[in-house]
Amino acid sequence: MNDTVDKLVVFLAKRDGIDKLVKTFQYVSKLTHWHVEFAHPGLAQRAKQWELASGLSRKAFRSGRFLTGFNTLRRNPGATPLFRFLAVLGNAGEMVYFFFDHFLWLSRIGVINPSLTRKMSYISAFGESVGYVFFMVADFILINDGLMKQIRLQKSVSGDDSSSEKVAARKEMVEKIKADRVMRLMACAANLADLIIALADIEPNPFCNHAMTLGISGLVSAWAGWYRNWPS
């Protein structure tokens, strides 16, 4: 119990940890509003206010986050030209998303012209979508590379007559590959879910803009991010 509390404290001390918690509030309240909209209008209105407040607070809390893309590229530009290319495009899209998200937030709270809301939302969502696509492509390539490496290691372990230390080291490498694959699959799930939400802004349509689609996508993204950021 104490260990769980300690991990929760560490999780909530991170900016991403707080963001995933508030994102959970945002999309749970969206689903609640949709579910009780006609049966309980008063409760639905409170749920809607909670959703809007959560969304605006997340935008305020992400102020300056577009700069993390520069830092990511500076520290880890990619091991190969292909991954440098994917990293630049992915982080560029994410930086556009977070940068214009500032103006979207300011327009929604009335600091700048509210008529800019739709334009800022479109630009932010477009950059977000571009970033997610390239991040997913990079993750799928790395997942495939990891699977190939895992197969080679498992074959070498099964047919290896060398020392137990070498066999144990190879088994440990296999476990690390499996753990990395789980984290990358969580990242892909979060990015795909957020891509659906972004598409609802870019090109409104009955599927992406349905409250259930948005609510479930938001929770998938939040909980996948929660898993990835939870202290090991």
Side-chain angles (χ1 to χ4, degrees), residues 109-120:
I109 63 176
V111 174
I112 61 177
N113 192 340
S115 64
L116 294 172
T117 298
R118 178 62 194 147
K119 187 175 183 179
M120 294 299 104

Side-chain angles (χ1 to χ4, degrees), residues 35-230:
H35 184 65
V36 304
E37 184 176 6
F38 300 107
H40 304 282
L43 178 60
Q45 180 60 26
R46 288 195 292 272
K48 188 64 177 179
Q49 289 173 343
W50 191 13
E51 177 197 344
L52 294 174
S54 298
L56 287 175
S57 64
R58 287 184 63 222
K59 292 184 184 303
F61 195 67
R62 293 198 299 252
S63 297
R65 189 168 171 178
F66 72 96
L67 295 171
T68 60
F70 290 110
N71 195 44
T72 300
L73 290 172
R74 182 175 63 86
R75 291 189 173 189
N76 186 23
T80 66
L82 173 61
F83 282 102
R84 281 196 290 272
F85 174 74
L86 293 173
V88 167
L89 291 179
N91 282 283
E94 190 176 66
M95 284 187 282
V96 168
Y97 162 46
F98 285 125
F99 181 76
F100 283 93
D101 203 45
H102 292 77
F103 298 104
L104 175 58
W105 169 57
L106 292 172
S107 65
R108 282 185 174 169
I109 63 176
V111 174
I112 61 177
N113 192 340
S115 64
L116 294 172
T117 298
R118 178 62 194 147
K119 187 175 183 179
M120 294 299 104
S121 179
Y122 181 88
I123 297 172
S124 178
F126 186 82
E128 181 182 15
S129 299
V130 170
Y132 292 146
V133 168
F134 287 105
F135 283 142
M136 284 191 289
V137 169
D139 278 329
F140 280 129
I141 292 173
L142 290 170
I143 287 170
N144 182 67
D145 290 347
L147 282 169
M148 297 300 102
K149 186 176 180 180
Q150 179 182 334
I151 291 170
R152 290 195 298 270
L153 285 169
Q154 288 175 332
K155 285 182 179 178
S156 67
V157 168
S158 60
D160 200 340
D161 296 326
S162 60
S163 65
S164 59
E165 289 81 2
K166 288 184 178 179
V167 171
R170 288 172 184 168
K171 287 182 177 179
E172 184 179 353
M173 288 179 67
V174 168
E175 293 304 314
K176 287 181 179 179
I177 291 171
K178 289 180 178 178
D180 180 74
R181 182 161 64 246
V182 170
M183 298 300 281
R184 292 193 182 279
L185 287 171
M186 290 294 105
C188 288
N191 287 336
L192 180 59
D194 283 330
L195 178 59
I196 292 172
I197 296 171
L199 289 175
D201 276 334
I202 296 171
E203 189 62 41
N205 60 84
F207 174 74
C208 290
N209 289 80
H210 194 281
M212 180 169 280
T213 303
L214 291 172
I216 292 174
S217 297
L219 290 178
V220 167
S221 173
W223 292 342
W226 189 298
Y227 181 89
R228 293 175 65 212
N229 284 281
W230 188 256

